[in-house]
Amino acid sequence: MSRNLFITGMGPGSGKSAVVLGMMEMLARHGRKLGFFRPVVEGGANPDPLSALVKSRYPVVSTGEHMFGVDYRTARDLIAEESLEELYSRILEKYAALAGECDFVLCVGTDYRTVHTTLEFEFNVEVARNLGAPLVPVVVGQGRTVRQILDSVWVLVDSLEANNCDILSVFVNRVSPGDVTDVVNGFREDAPAAGFPLFVLPAHPLLDKPTVAEIRKALGAEMLHGDPARLDREVAHYKVAAMELPNFLDRLEEGSLVITPGDRSDILIGALAADAATSYPGIAGVVLTGGFGPAPQVLRLFKGLKRSPVPILDVKLDTFSTASRVSSIEASLTPENSRKIAGALGLFESNVDPALLDHRIDVMRSSRITPLMFQHDLLSRARSRRRHIVLPEGVEERVLRAAEILRLRDVADLTLLGNAVEVRDKITALGLSLGEVEIIDPAASELREEFGRTYYELRKHKGIPLQVALDAMNDVSCFGTMMVYRGIADGMVSGATHTTQHTIRPALEFIRTRPGCSIVSSVFFMCLPDRVLLYGDCAINPDPDAEQLAHIAVSSAMTAESFGIEPRVAMLSYSTGESGKGTNVDKIKEAARVARQLRPDIKLEGPIQYDAAIDPEVAKIKLPGSEVAGRATVFIFPDLNAGNNAYKAVQRAANAVAIGPVLQGLNKPVNDLSRGCTVADIVNTVAITAIQAQLEGDGS
């Protein structure tokens, strides 16, 4: 997947468009294949203006609807239905389709179109986390003192760090020009060793004020007369003219937009005369309200003026409604306004260190993996090269519901085992669509005898009679495992209704362990809010010795590597380093020594306590300088008692998603489910099994 970053304003009116434009200009210089993505946009006939601006200037990869996640209406509906995970999944799926075609994707958050600014901020942060994107927040400085600006920055940083976000840089925009230096110096004084740079952009009249053209568009106004070139003029002031002409003229200022009823010919003529006169300031335009339009004589008058008049706009709204609407119009950057674009780029380039930003973009990539990211990646990888997975528990409702999801998402080819009539009746009763899924009844299958004889040849040295071997193939777990052994299926997932022993015993009997691995073990993928960890062995081996622990550690590191997680292995004990003594500590020391011999390239630490393995602050005290301490991703427990209780405790206490147990060390993939598994657990485990089968086919 491509690299990325996520720009988001911290509220309405942040001016993030100028930052987006500057970032795109900088990224485009490096010849990257760029993508542009927005999680939520206006739907219908209204294209996203920021996307339109970017597309008009830069050669971004344009894949139509993949440039955005969902529209605002869809987002609101899903939030109202409390289907946040579905909302994030849709956004992630659309993003992934775009990112697959790009070297780098610039993502931009929402425009704060709701009244719930805090909720919208939290939404943007969560989207950025699920996209694995470092954040570039834009803080508005307008109307704030230097101290207020700095306080808002630190409140923001604390919030982002509490949400486990990576900050690329922080921008403060629309700061009073006289305060820019003080904000920069104040930031350095507050945090001389901040882990990110702060860039301050001063307020600029050209960018902060809307043009007459923007106001015309927002009001849906008709242009009665005027020079189209003057539509690009910025509106500095709004003047509602309801007084006598002399009093009105005294209140005119440069760049005023005059708002007056359409039947006030005196105000209209006076405004045009003032604009033409050198003794009065020039105005930006006139808005006539009420739908009256000027009198024919007045129209003839200003149409005969030699000097190109200011734009005269006509709206149906009354004066009060027009003034209210105009006051809420914010300036924006559009492809047509080259002056504003040049001003925005100049502002960015004058106040930003591009070399520093370039460096941070090159070296910084979020290492955080959210559960949604991980699960999405599982399904995507499985779908990329579909494998054939057999599900022995074909009459179990959870298995059938998972099978439908897997087929609808085209994750794998499936075979269900069980009495064919019972399976089909259950499918019909549940109202599921599984027409393309193969159903095999082991007892009635023509493969039963062939499988039984194969089983007999593999186990006759153990004294197994032929008839016993044939009868064994009536069992769905045995039959399914033999399908994998014979290459008819690429992997098997079972255990929703069967014990672990029942699931894995046939695999141990004839699939057996891969070369170089002496033990079959298991890991759980522990999906915490900001990362995915591996816990092993939490399901198979009650009390492994040092040699077995070493092989479990190596297998677990290889599993982590296979699923895109950098293995940093912590071999857990009740002591850290050389602090503890005793038989149990000695076992971990020996296991760590053997594991290093087996795979000297793996980052591994042991013995180490859990707190020292996961908490960087504790690691600094207990094991300073370690590559693993405080950053471990693979946790190897000393025995099943510790591992099983630990994963269940973390699962409940941290509301983590536990995917597994995933078996490792076998020649071909067979995976066990917990009897308390959910439909989602089955879907994830099938995807993992399919990926293991892909890797097996690659010789990994």
Side-chain angles (χ1 to χ4, degrees), residues 8 45 70 108 153 260 262 356 430 484 493 615 623 637:
T8 180
V70 298
V108 182
V153 168
T260 189
L356 175 58
L430 294 171
V484 177
V493 174
D615 190 321
L623 211 60
F637 293 88

Side-chain angles (χ1 to χ4, degrees), residues 427-508:
I427 291 170
T428 302
L430 294 171
L432 303 177
S433 177
L434 288 169
E436 297 179 16
V437 173
E438 181 184 38
I439 301 171
I440 296 178
D441 182 353
S445 172
E446 59 186 19
L447 293 171
R448 174 181 169 273
E449 184 170 347
E450 182 183 338
F451 283 4
R453 293 188 178 278
T454 300
Y455 185 40
Y456 170 71
E457 292 297 325
L458 292 169
R459 301 294 293 173
K460 66 182 180 182
H461 66 286
K462 294 289 188 179
I464 184 174
L466 176 60
Q467 190 56 49
V468 171
L470 292 171
D471 291 343
M473 290 302 121
N474 291 325
D475 179 81
V476 288
S477 289
C478 270
F479 191 95
T481 307
M482 187 58 74
M483 287 180 67
V484 177
Y485 176 78
R486 291 286 301 271
I488 298 170
D490 299 305
M492 184 182 86
V493 174
S494 187
T497 61
H498 292 96
T499 65
T500 296
Q501 177 66 19
H502 189 267
T503 297
I504 69 170
R505 180 182 54 80
L508 294 173

Side-chain angles (χ1 to χ4, degrees), residues 321-445:
S321 299
T322 301
S324 298
R325 187 172 294 186
V326 164
S327 65
S328 66
I329 297 171
E330 294 182 356
S332 61
L333 289 168
T334 61
E336 300 80 22
N337 200 320
S338 56
R339 291 176 62 242
K340 279 196 174 186
I341 291 172
L345 292 174
L347 194 69
F348 186 93
E349 291 161 353
S350 301
N351 295 277
V352 172
D353 182 349
L356 175 58
L357 263 185
D358 268 337
H359 174 71
R360 286 188 61 77
I361 289 170
D362 285 341
V363 302
M364 187 175 184
R365 185 174 186 178
S366 179
S367 60
R368 306 183 193 276
I369 304 174
T370 66
L372 188 63
M373 290 167 61
F374 184 71
Q375 291 171 74
H376 181 272
D377 187 55
L378 288 181
L379 298 184
S380 296
R381 287 183 62 185
R383 191 186 299 116
S384 67
R385 289 186 292 158
R386 286 214 321 269
R387 291 296 186 263
H388 183 182
I389 306 300
V390 58
L391 304 173
E393 298 155 324
V395 293
E396 167 59 31
E397 178 177 342
R398 292 166 295 168
V399 171
L400 291 173
R401 292 192 182 279
E404 183 183 52
I405 293 170
L406 290 161
R407 289 300 305 130
L408 289 172
R409 302 197 66 175
D410 206 26
V411 173
D413 297 323
L414 301 174
T415 293
L416 298 169
L417 300 185
N419 181 281
V421 174
E422 291 181 13
V423 173
R424 289 194 180 94
D425 285 349
K426 193 66 171 284
I427 291 170
T428 302
L430 294 171
L432 303 177
S433 177
L434 288 169
E436 297 179 16
V437 173
E438 181 184 38
I439 301 171
I440 296 178
D441 182 353
S445 172

Side-chain angles (χ1 to χ4, degrees), residues 7 16-27 36 50 53-54 56-58 106 333 340-345 348-349:
I7 299 174
K16 68 177 182 295
S17 296
V19 178
V20 170
L21 207 61
M23 282 287 194
M24 285 299 303
E25 191 80 8
M26 192 177 71
L27 292 167
F36 185 79
L50 189 52
L53 172 63
V54 169
S56 72
R57 288 188 56 82
Y58 305 105
L106 183 66
L333 289 168
K340 279 196 174 186
I341 291 172
L345 292 174
F348 186 93
E349 291 161 353

Side-chain angles (χ1 to χ4, degrees), residues 40 70-80 84 87 91 123:
V40 184
V70 298
D71 58 37
Y72 274 100
R73 181 175 180 178
T74 301
R76 284 193 295 266
D77 289 347
L78 289 171
I79 291 170
L84 274 174
L87 173 58
I91 292 170
F123 171 79

